[in-house]
Amino acid sequence: METLAILHMMLTDMFGPMGPVIALGGVGLFFVLLALPLLLRGQTDPMEKLKAQAEGRDRDRPRDGQAVLRQRERSDRLKKYANFLEPQDAKELSEMRLRLLQAGYRSREAVRIFHFAQMTLGLAGLIAGVIYTLVLVGADQLSAQQQIGFILGPGAAGYFLPKYWITRRVAERKEEITLNFPDALDMLLVCVEAGQSLNQAIIRVAKELRASSPSLADEFEIVSHEMKAGKDKPAVLSDMGERCGVQDVSSFVTVLIQSQTFGTPISDALRVYASEMRDKRVMRAEEAANKLPTKMTLTTMVLTVPPLLIILVGPSVVGLGKLGELSAGN
């Protein structure tokens, strides 16, 4: 008991009232980091020897295949940690994969890399908070609430940083696709009316859109490659609508699928829908212009009213001050 009392006193003197809690958390973090490699270690694969032999043969291949081999090795390393870097719920995994596709990350390991980034940045922020609180500032200079905030705050920020990045990336990509989609429809209509097939028109539009909208160009290239591979056209178009996550693209996909189902010419459907998209773009611009006066009103009041009050009321305040001094002197 005396030893525990002495230890408690030492921790309190070093780190303040929260010293025992901080020490206990540090010990727990140490054991977690110590046991993490053991927990993440995958089970022994009976085919490891065959894989090693295959990798030995792969090293003798030409140098242009080294990138593919490195990607395969990285995939194998991440696959060992799949139970910890992927949601176990199939629905949650599917939603996360779709979210990353909408952000433009199409790699097979995108979900694992996302969760690995969350775990790494969270632990790094937590360690940085501990170092800042205990070493740079000193626990005796901070209260218990400040210590908890400085320790847990960077960890929480690091954990939620990848999610914030993905959310912002999805919003920017949707905005880019929405702004450039009417132009893509016009070019697609011109190509189809010139006698090209839908697949040829999509390839040409993807090349023309590369400079102005890389995200939309990538989507059109994926559609063309999947069509060349023999995938069903309605399924290809539906996948494009899900990857984009934009209502205009989903409506366009529905129009093309209905046109193919009922046997109507694609050019007629494109002409009508392209006209609607042009009108919608004009309406969107008018809506943004109509919102501008309302936004400017608040800014004008904040920047104009205080200086105006100072100009109008300032001389009166100065005059009243001088009048008060004269009255006091008399």
Side-chain angles (χ1 to χ4, degrees):
M1 295 299 293
E2 294 181 357
T3 305
L4 293 177
I6 295 173
L7 182 61
H8 183 274
M9 185 179 299
M10 292 176 58
L11 292 175
T12 304
D13 293 338
M14 292 175 61
F15 305 120
M18 295 295 294
V21 178
I22 295 174
L24 185 61
V27 173
L29 181 62
F30 172 75
F31 282 109
V32 168
L33 295 177
L34 186 64
L36 192 61
L38 300 176
L39 294 174
L40 295 179
R41 183 176 299 173
Q43 297 180 355
T44 305
D45 189 356
M47 303 296 290
E48 284 184 357
K49 293 184 179 180
L50 295 178
K51 287 183 180 180
Q53 294 176 1
E55 290 176 358
R57 290 193 299 267
D58 289 339
R59 294 191 186 96
D60 299 333
R61 293 183 181 179
R63 186 169 296 178
D64 57 359
Q66 295 299 322
V68 178
L69 295 178
R70 286 194 296 269
Q71 184 177 4
R72 186 185 304 172
E73 291 175 358
R74 184 181 66 179
S75 176
D76 292 339
R77 287 196 298 268
L78 290 175
K79 190 175 181 181
K80 295 179 181 179
Y81 313 139
N83 293 332
F84 298 92
L85 299 180
E86 283 187 358
Q88 299 302 313
D89 187 6
K91 182 179 179 181
E92 184 179 356
L93 178 61
S94 177
E95 291 177 353
M96 191 66 224
R97 185 169 293 149
L98 178 60
R99 189 73 173 170
L100 292 174
L101 284 175
Q102 292 177 352
Y105 300 106
R106 306 181 187 88
S107 174
R108 295 177 58 185
E109 301 86 15
V111 178
R112 300 172 186 172
I113 294 175
F114 172 77
H115 288 284
F116 178 75
Q118 276 193 322
M119 181 183 66
T120 304
L121 293 177
L123 290 176
L126 191 63
I127 294 173
V130 172
I131 294 175
Y132 176 79
T133 303
L134 303 183
V135 179
L136 299 180
V137 178
D140 54 347
Q141 304 294 330
L142 301 174
S143 63
Q145 291 79 6
Q146 290 176 338
Q147 292 178 18
I148 294 175
F150 286 144
I151 291 175
L152 298 183
Y159 180 80
F160 288 105
L161 182 61
K163 186 176 294 185
Y164 169 75
W165 171 261
I166 294 298
T167 302
R168 185 171 181 178
R169 173 69 177 168
V170 169
E172 291 178 353
R173 194 167 180 269
K174 286 183 178 180
E175 184 178 0
E176 177 187 339
I177 292 175
T178 302
L179 292 176
N180 294 276
F181 190 63
D183 296 332
L185 283 181
D186 291 335
M187 288 188 287
L188 195 63
L189 176 61
V190 171
C191 293
V192 171
E193 289 183 341
Q196 292 183 342
S197 64
L198 181 61
N199 193 12
Q200 293 174 342
I202 289 175
I203 295 174
R204 181 58 185 269
V205 170
K207 292 180 180 179
E208 296 295 334
L209 283 176
R210 176 61 59 185
S212 60
S213 179
S215 300
L216 191 56
D218 291 339
E219 293 297 334
F220 278 124
E221 284 186 354
I222 292 174
V223 170
S224 65
H225 292 327
E226 289 182 347
M227 286 183 178
K228 286 182 180 179
K231 192 174 179 180
D232 191 20
K233 187 180 295 184
V236 172
L237 296 174
S238 299
D239 293 341
M240 176 185 176
E242 290 183 358
R243 288 194 305 269
C244 292
V246 178
Q247 183 61 37
D248 295 341
V249 179
S250 301
S251 302
F252 165 72
V253 168
T254 303
V255 169
L256 288 185
I257 293 176
Q258 290 179 352
S259 176
Q260 183 181 6
T261 302
F262 296 108
T264 58
I266 296 178
S267 59
D268 295 342
L270 286 175
R271 187 180 299 107
V272 174
Y273 195 73
S275 177
E276 292 181 358
M277 285 295 100
R278 287 194 295 270
D279 295 339
K280 191 173 182 179
R281 179 167 58 181
V282 173
M283 293 174 61
R284 192 181 293 115
E286 291 177 352
E287 182 182 358
N290 292 330
K291 289 180 180 178
L292 187 60
T294 305
K295 296 179 180 179
M296 291 297 296
T297 300
L298 182 60
T299 306
T300 304
M301 291 178 61
V302 172
L303 298 178
T304 305
V305 173
L308 185 61
L309 290 176
I310 293 174
I311 294 173
L312 295 178
V313 181
S316 301
V317 173
V318 174
L320 291 174
K322 290 182 178 180
L323 183 60
E325 291 178 358
L326 292 175
S327 300
N330 295 331

